[in-house]
PDB file of all heavy atoms in Angstrom:
ATOM      1  N   ARG A 131      80.266  92.266  84.314  1.00  0.00           N
ATOM      2  CA  ARG A 131      79.065  91.426  84.492  1.00  0.00           C
ATOM      3  C   ARG A 131      79.240  90.366  85.554  1.00  0.00           C
ATOM      4  O   ARG A 131      78.301  89.640  85.903  1.00  0.00           O
ATOM      5  CB  ARG A 131      78.683  90.775  83.169  1.00  0.00           C
ATOM      6  CG  ARG A 131      78.398  91.776  82.060  1.00  0.00           C
ATOM      7  CD  ARG A 131      77.623  91.178  80.921  1.00  0.00           C
ATOM      8  NE  ARG A 131      77.491  92.128  79.837  1.00  0.00           N
ATOM      9  CZ  ARG A 131      76.731  91.939  78.777  1.00  0.00           C
ATOM     10  NH1 ARG A 131      76.037  90.816  78.655  1.00  0.00           N
ATOM     11  NH2 ARG A 131      76.639  92.847  77.822  1.00  0.00           N
ATOM     12  N   LEU A 132      80.451  90.245  86.104  1.00  0.00           N
ATOM     13  CA  LEU A 132      80.701  89.292  87.198  1.00  0.00           C
ATOM     14  C   LEU A 132      80.484  89.993  88.544  1.00  0.00           C
ATOM     15  O   LEU A 132      80.967  91.105  88.729  1.00  0.00           O
ATOM     16  CB  LEU A 132      82.106  88.712  87.123  1.00  0.00           C
ATOM     17  CG  LEU A 132      82.309  87.539  86.139  1.00  0.00           C
ATOM     18  CD1 LEU A 132      82.251  88.015  84.696  1.00  0.00           C
ATOM     19  CD2 LEU A 132      83.620  86.820  86.444  1.00  0.00           C
ATOM     20  N   PRO A 133      79.789  89.366  89.469  1.00  0.00           N
ATOM     21  CA  PRO A 133      79.484  90.017  90.749  1.00  0.00           C
ATOM     22  C   PRO A 133      80.734  90.164  91.611  1.00  0.00           C
ATOM     23  O   PRO A 133      81.625  89.291  91.657  1.00  0.00           O
ATOM     24  CB  PRO A 133      78.482  89.088  91.413  1.00  0.00           C
ATOM     25  CG  PRO A 133      78.671  87.747  90.737  1.00  0.00           C
ATOM     26  CD  PRO A 133      79.138  88.043  89.330  1.00  0.00           C
ATOM     27  N   SER A 134      80.788  91.272  92.353  1.00  0.00           N
ATOM     28  CA  SER A 134      81.909  91.544  93.250  1.00  0.00           C
ATOM     29  C   SER A 134      81.971  90.531  94.392  1.00  0.00           C
ATOM     30  O   SER A 134      80.951  89.968  94.803  1.00  0.00           O
ATOM     31  CB  SER A 134      81.783  92.950  93.843  1.00  0.00           C
ATOM     32  OG  SER A 134      81.786  93.928  92.817  1.00  0.00           O
ATOM     33  N   GLU A 135      83.212  90.328  94.888  1.00  0.00           N
ATOM     34  CA  GLU A 135      83.454  89.482  96.054  1.00  0.00           C
ATOM     35  C   GLU A 135      82.756  88.139  95.984  1.00  0.00           C
ATOM     36  O   GLU A 135      82.048  87.712  96.889  1.00  0.00           O
ATOM     37  CB  GLU A 135      83.058  90.244  97.341  1.00  0.00           C
ATOM     38  CG  GLU A 135      83.859  91.532  97.523  1.00  0.00           C
ATOM     39  CD  GLU A 135      83.588  92.212  98.866  1.00  0.00           C
ATOM     40  OE1 GLU A 135      82.745  91.747  99.631  1.00  0.00           O
ATOM     41  OE2 GLU A 135      84.244  93.251  99.127  1.00  0.00           O
ATOM     42  N   SER A 136      82.977  87.468  94.840  1.00  0.00           N
ATOM     43  CA  SER A 136      82.337  86.163  94.586  1.00  0.00           C
ATOM     44  C   SER A 136      83.297  85.000  94.836  1.00  0.00           C
ATOM     45  O   SER A 136      82.818  83.853  94.933  1.00  0.00           O
ATOM     46  CB  SER A 136      81.843  86.080  93.146  1.00  0.00           C
ATOM     47  OG  SER A 136      80.904  87.122  92.887  1.00  0.00           O
ATOM     48  N   TYR A 137      84.608  85.267  94.895  1.00  0.00           N
ATOM     49  CA  TYR A 137      85.561  84.156  94.856  1.00  0.00           C
ATOM     50  C   TYR A 137      86.576  84.251  95.988  1.00  0.00           C
ATOM     51  O   TYR A 137      87.029  85.343  96.339  1.00  0.00           O
ATOM     52  CB  TYR A 137      86.274  84.120  93.501  1.00  0.00           C
ATOM     53  CG  TYR A 137      85.359  83.838  92.370  1.00  0.00           C
ATOM     54  CD1 TYR A 137      84.892  84.866  91.541  1.00  0.00           C
ATOM     55  CD2 TYR A 137      84.877  82.548  92.155  1.00  0.00           C
ATOM     56  CE1 TYR A 137      84.013  84.632  90.488  1.00  0.00           C
ATOM     57  CE2 TYR A 137      83.981  82.287  91.092  1.00  0.00           C
ATOM     58  CZ  TYR A 137      83.553  83.320  90.291  1.00  0.00           C
ATOM     59  OH  TYR A 137      82.646  83.057  89.282  1.00  0.00           O
ATOM     60  N   ASP A 138      86.926  83.070  96.509  1.00  0.00           N
ATOM     61  CA  ASP A 138      87.940  82.987  97.553  1.00  0.00           C
ATOM     62  C   ASP A 138      89.311  82.720  96.987  1.00  0.00           C
ATOM     63  O   ASP A 138      90.332  82.963  97.658  1.00  0.00           O
ATOM     64  CB  ASP A 138      87.581  81.830  98.538  1.00  0.00           C
ATOM     65  CG  ASP A 138      86.218  82.012  99.171  1.00  0.00           C
ATOM     66  OD1 ASP A 138      86.120  82.883 100.058  1.00  0.00           O
ATOM     67  OD2 ASP A 138      85.283  81.330  98.754  1.00  0.00           O
ATOM     68  N   PHE A 139      89.357  82.201  95.765  1.00  0.00           N
ATOM     69  CA  PHE A 139      90.637  81.888  95.140  1.00  0.00           C
ATOM     70  C   PHE A 139      90.500  82.099  93.624  1.00  0.00           C
ATOM     71  O   PHE A 139      89.593  81.533  93.014  1.00  0.00           O
ATOM     72  CB  PHE A 139      91.054  80.458  95.435  1.00  0.00           C
ATOM     73  CG  PHE A 139      92.418  80.061  94.932  1.00  0.00           C
ATOM     74  CD1 PHE A 139      93.570  80.529  95.564  1.00  0.00           C
ATOM     75  CD2 PHE A 139      92.584  79.263  93.827  1.00  0.00           C
ATOM     76  CE1 PHE A 139      94.842  80.182  95.108  1.00  0.00           C
ATOM     77  CE2 PHE A 139      93.843  78.869  93.374  1.00  0.00           C
ATOM     78  CZ  PHE A 139      94.977  79.362  94.036  1.00  0.00           C
ATOM     79  N   ILE A 140      91.379  82.892  93.053  1.00  0.00           N
ATOM     80  CA  ILE A 140      91.426  83.122  91.616  1.00  0.00           C
ATOM     81  C   ILE A 140      92.792  82.694  91.092  1.00  0.00           C
ATOM     82  O   ILE A 140      93.819  83.148  91.596  1.00  0.00           O
ATOM     83  CB  ILE A 140      91.179  84.609  91.266  1.00  0.00           C
ATOM     84  CG1 ILE A 140      89.756  85.021  91.686  1.00  0.00           C
ATOM     85  CG2 ILE A 140      91.355  84.865  89.769  1.00  0.00           C
ATOM     86  CD1 ILE A 140      89.464  86.479  91.447  1.00  0.00           C
ATOM     87  N   VAL A 141      92.802  81.813  90.110  1.00  0.00           N
ATOM     88  CA  VAL A 141      94.055  81.386  89.513  1.00  0.00           C
ATOM     89  C   VAL A 141      94.052  81.759  88.032  1.00  0.00           C
ATOM     90  O   VAL A 141      93.028  81.668  87.352  1.00  0.00           O
ATOM     91  CB  VAL A 141      94.253  79.831  89.672  1.00  0.00           C
ATOM     92  CG1 VAL A 141      93.147  79.054  88.969  1.00  0.00           C
ATOM     93  CG2 VAL A 141      95.618  79.406  89.162  1.00  0.00           C
ATOM     94  N   GLY A 142      95.200  82.253  87.573  1.00  0.00           N
ATOM     95  CA  GLY A 142      95.329  82.625  86.157  1.00  0.00           C
ATOM     96  C   GLY A 142      96.673  82.115  85.632  1.00  0.00           C
ATOM     97  O   GLY A 142      97.670  82.748  85.828  1.00  0.00           O
ATOM     98  N   GLN A 143      96.641  80.966  84.967  1.00  0.00           N
ATOM     99  CA  GLN A 143      97.835  80.408  84.316  1.00  0.00           C
ATOM    100  C   GLN A 143      97.708  80.658  82.813  1.00  0.00           C
ATOM    101  O   GLN A 143      96.676  81.129  82.328  1.00  0.00           O
ATOM    102  CB  GLN A 143      97.971  78.943  84.611  1.00  0.00           C
ATOM    103  CG  GLN A 143      98.147  78.594  86.086  1.00  0.00           C
ATOM    104  CD  GLN A 143      99.471  79.094  86.653  1.00  0.00           C
ATOM    105  OE1 GLN A 143     100.485  79.105  85.966  1.00  0.00           O
ATOM    106  NE2 GLN A 143      99.480  79.515  87.916  1.00  0.00           N
ATOM    107  N   GLY A 144      98.768  80.392  82.062  1.00  0.00           N
ATOM    108  CA  GLY A 144      98.703  80.690  80.633  1.00  0.00           C
ATOM    109  C   GLY A 144      98.783  82.174  80.352  1.00  0.00           C
ATOM    110  O   GLY A 144      98.480  82.630  79.255  1.00  0.00           O
ATOM    111  N   ASP A 145      99.168  82.950  81.365  1.00  0.00           N
ATOM    112  CA  ASP A 145      99.497  84.369  81.201  1.00  0.00           C
ATOM    113  C   ASP A 145      98.333  85.244  80.677  1.00  0.00           C
ATOM    114  O   ASP A 145      98.509  86.059  79.788  1.00  0.00           O
ATOM    115  CB  ASP A 145     100.708  84.555  80.300  1.00  0.00           C
ATOM    116  CG  ASP A 145     101.790  83.556  80.593  1.00  0.00           C
ATOM    117  OD1 ASP A 145     102.112  83.381  81.760  1.00  0.00           O
ATOM    118  OD2 ASP A 145     102.356  82.972  79.639  1.00  0.00           O
ATOM    119  N   PRO A 146      97.092  85.091  81.216  1.00  0.00           N
ATOM    120  CA  PRO A 146      96.005  85.921  80.688  1.00  0.00           C
ATOM    121  C   PRO A 146      96.202  87.407  80.885  1.00  0.00           C
ATOM    122  O   PRO A 146      95.758  88.217  80.034  1.00  0.00           O
ATOM    123  CB  PRO A 146      94.778  85.406  81.477  1.00  0.00           C
ATOM    124  CG  PRO A 146      95.342  84.800  82.717  1.00  0.00           C
ATOM    125  CD  PRO A 146      96.659  84.234  82.312  1.00  0.00           C
TER     126      PRO A 146
END
Side-chain angles (χ1 to χ4, degrees):
R131 300 197 186 188
L132 278 71
S134 299
E135 298 187 357
S136 300
Y137 296 102
D138 301 285
F139 186 74
I140 296 176
V141 61
Q143 298 292 326
D145 317 314

